[in-house]
Amino acid sequence: MKKIAELKEIIAGGEFDEKLAQIYLDKDMIPYNRQRYVKALDKFTELFGDQEVAIYSAPGRSEVCGNHTDHQNGHVLATSINLDAIAIVAPREDGVIELVSDDMPKEVINVNDIEQDPALEGTTTALIKGVVAGIRDYGFKVGGFTAFVTSDVLMGAGMSSSAAFESLIGTILSGLYNDMKVSSVDVAKIGQYAENVYFGKPCGLMDQMACAVGGLIYIDFFDKANPVIKQVPVDFEAHQYSLCIVDTKGSHADLTDDYAAIPAEMKQVANYFGEELLSRVSEEDFISKVGEMRASGKVNDRAVLRALHFYTEQDRVAEGVAALENQEFDHFLDVIKRSGDSSFKLLQNIYSAKDPLTQNVSIALGFSEKFIGKNGVCRVHGGGFAGTIQAFVKNAAVAEYKKNIESIFGEGACHVLKVRPYGGIKVVE
């Protein structure tokens, strides 16, 4: 740990630039992140005084393929990105966590008072308590700390700001009290537990896994307790493509039922076969019983279509991984386009059926296809219904695409990102 004044001098003076380049992979972002870290140190001092501190980081994520498959213990391809949540942290001995996140009210939590409380669902307090409880239940040590957290992971934009926060808290507890011995996989599982049980959101594990583990990763969730994780080699720059995320400025308010209906309807199909999850039902068995299911009245048509998306999306994930491993980038782009088409046609998570006249994501996809032409592909990003789309665009066409799509959604709506090689990390000891 270092005193804040010493850290500020190191970072502001450029001695930390190489580390920033390793984390964020974009030399143009070094001045921005240098200033961001210094401001965070200043804010910590303003809130809590000058102390010896460490700095932790956890990234946002981008789902690349495998849309709404993780909650059925399926396969996904996801990546961490070079937007993150950082925390200036000092340990404390009284078992109290005192945390301020950007402009949010201060959180004060005692690690000995972390029982699940339904009244706290949907709050930051619930997430912190859930992560502490998960760390403890996994047999690791917990303790108090003081922290200022700041994040440039866009909230409500499909980059999993909540998963980044959960991964950050888990990584802090791993670093302060467990010598960084809580594995990134366990940090991810604990984050999902916090979100499911304490926060009250029925998410899968992909978001937390991508944020905690880092890099472009293939994940097979069939054995949820022991997911198979494989790093997938890719260098988008070598192929002269950029990953663009477009924030359509759609609101996620009142969409919990839309999100929850997708796993519920997929499980409706699985239940027809006496199983809990679609990953336990073969595609052949599913197809052979479609007529029977529809006639039974026990499974609705949208559930059948969403199940069909699940099975075809599983094949696309495997196909996309193989394409990248074989350096067949055009084939990979074709997989991504087909994944997006399936999400629109079968999964139906592009707009809410409760408000069909509001279609931010549909507008973004339709005009992106027109603007990009043969220079890339696009698809819905993350949970859908609102939020963001993803586009892989040729570098030579990025500036024009960004200008055109921002003419619809506003300046700053298009984010040109890099694949970050790290998940949750201790940046400075």
Side-chain angles (χ1 to χ4, degrees):
M1 296 228 179
K2 291 181 171 61
K3 295 289 280 187
I4 287 177
E6 180 185 359
L7 267 178
K8 282 179 60 179
E9 184 176 346
I10 290 170
I11 294 170
E15 295 177 50
F16 201 60
D17 285 1
E18 184 177 344
K19 182 73 170 180
L20 293 175
Q22 291 173 359
I23 295 171
Y24 300 104
L25 299 169
D26 188 341
K27 291 182 178 179
D28 292 338
M29 287 182 68
I30 288 176
Y32 159 75
N33 278 302
R34 191 192 298 148
Q35 182 181 40
R36 182 170 164 244
Y37 275 61
V38 169
K39 282 185 175 180
L41 289 163
D42 284 339
K43 187 64 175 179
F44 181 96
T45 305
E46 176 189 326
L47 291 165
F48 306 114
D50 189 12
Q51 303 182 45
E52 288 192 347
V53 297
I55 303 178
Y56 291 81
S57 161
R61 71 97 174 106
S62 175
E63 169 206 288
V64 177
C65 194
N67 197 210
H68 278 284
T69 58
D70 59 326
H71 48 67
Q72 299 302 300
N73 289 16
H75 305 170
V76 299
L77 184 61
T79 185
S80 53
I81 57 175
N82 60 338
L83 300 176
D84 67 345
I86 63 171
I88 313 300
V89 181
R92 50 195 292 168
E93 298 179 356
D94 60 0
V96 171
I97 295 173
E98 194 173 6
L99 179 148
V100 174
S101 183
D102 285 317
D103 297 325
M104 300 296 288
K106 182 186 292 186
E107 300 284 343
V108 181
I109 294 163
N110 192 307
V111 299
N112 297 311
D113 179 20
I114 51 173
E115 295 303 312
Q116 193 269 341
D117 182 353
L120 294 174
E121 286 189 0
T123 67
T124 302
T125 303
L127 287 180
I128 298 171
K129 283 191 170 189
V131 173
V132 174
I135 293 280
R136 180 200 61 189
D137 292 348
Y138 269 61
F140 293 104
K141 297 177 183 177
V142 298
F145 59 85
T146 301
F148 173 68
V149 175
T150 184
S151 176
D152 59 7
V153 182
L154 299 178
M155 294 183 65
M159 298 179 189
S160 295
S161 56
S162 60
F165 182 78
E166 295 151 13
S167 297
L168 183 66
I169 300 301
T171 304
I172 289 169
L173 290 169
S174 178
L176 290 181
Y177 296 106
N178 298 282
D179 299 320
M180 292 299 287
K181 290 181 180 177
V182 185
S183 72
S184 56
V185 172
D186 283 344
V187 168
K189 292 177 183 176
I190 290 164
Q192 186 203 22
Y193 166 77
E195 193 146 349
N196 288 174
V197 177
Y198 278 69
F199 191 77
K201 181 179 177 182
C203 67
L205 184 56
M206 179 193 67
D207 295 351
Q208 290 80 8
M209 197 69 78
C211 293
V213 174
L216 184 66
I217 54 173
Y218 160 79
I219 314 167
D220 179 353
F221 287 115
F222 187 83
D223 181 356
K224 186 178 177 180
N226 300 286
V228 176
I229 304 167
K230 179 171 71 171
Q231 296 282 342
V232 180
V234 64
D235 183 351
F236 290 119
E237 287 302 314
H239 297 285
Q240 294 297 296
Y241 270 82
S242 292
L243 168 60
C244 299
I245 302 294
V246 179
D247 182 4
T248 72
K249 312 296 175 67
S251 172
H252 283 75
D254 301 321
L255 290 176
T256 298
D257 291 346
D258 292 279
Y259 293 124
I262 295 178
E265 290 181 4
M266 288 185 178
K267 287 179 180 180
Q268 185 182 102
V269 175
N271 293 163
Y272 189 84
F273 294 88
E275 300 287 354
E276 279 297 310
L277 302 170
L278 282 180
S279 58
R280 269 55 184 176
V281 179
S282 73
E283 182 177 3
E284 292 76 13
D285 285 347
F286 161 70
I287 291 174
S288 72
K289 298 290 186 180
V290 168
E292 179 184 304
M293 278 189 288
R294 296 185 69 220
S296 73
K298 296 178 180 179
V299 179
N300 67 60
D301 282 350
R302 190 172 67 175
V304 171
L305 290 170
R306 285 174 164 172
L308 179 58
H309 165 82
F310 170 83
Y311 291 112
T312 57
E313 189 77 341
Q314 296 302 276
D315 293 339
R316 283 185 291 271
V317 170
E319 192 178 345
V321 170
L324 289 173
E325 290 177 336
N326 294 327
Q327 298 292 307
E328 298 170 348
F329 201 74
D330 287 343
H331 184 183
F332 165 74
L333 293 175
D334 177 63
V335 170
I336 298 305
K337 182 176 187 328
R338 285 187 278 123
S339 173
D341 290 345
S342 181
S343 291
F344 210 141
K345 297 173 183 177
L346 302 179
L347 186 61
Q348 299 178 33
N349 66 331
I350 308 304
Y351 59 89
S352 173
K354 293 182 293 189
D355 186 15
L357 300 184
T358 301
Q359 297 201 24
N360 293 51
V361 174
S362 308
I363 291 287
L365 292 170
F367 281 92
S368 288
E369 286 193 351
K370 180 170 180 59
F371 295 151
I372 295 170
K374 296 181 179 180
N375 292 315
V377 297
C378 62
R379 66 186 288 274
V380 67
H381 182 240
F385 300 111
T388 59
I389 70 160
Q390 173 190 88
F392 291 94
V393 185
K394 284 184 180 178
N395 288 345
V398 166
E400 184 70 12
Y401 171 66
K402 180 177 172 66
K403 181 186 76 173
N404 287 333
I405 202 68
E406 288 187 348
S407 73
I408 296 174
F409 294 104
E411 185 177 353
C414 180
H415 302 269
V416 183
L417 304 176
K418 304 289 184 182
V419 172
R420 165 171 154 152
Y422 306 105
I425 57 171
K426 184 191 296 183
V427 179
V428 178
E429 181 70 45

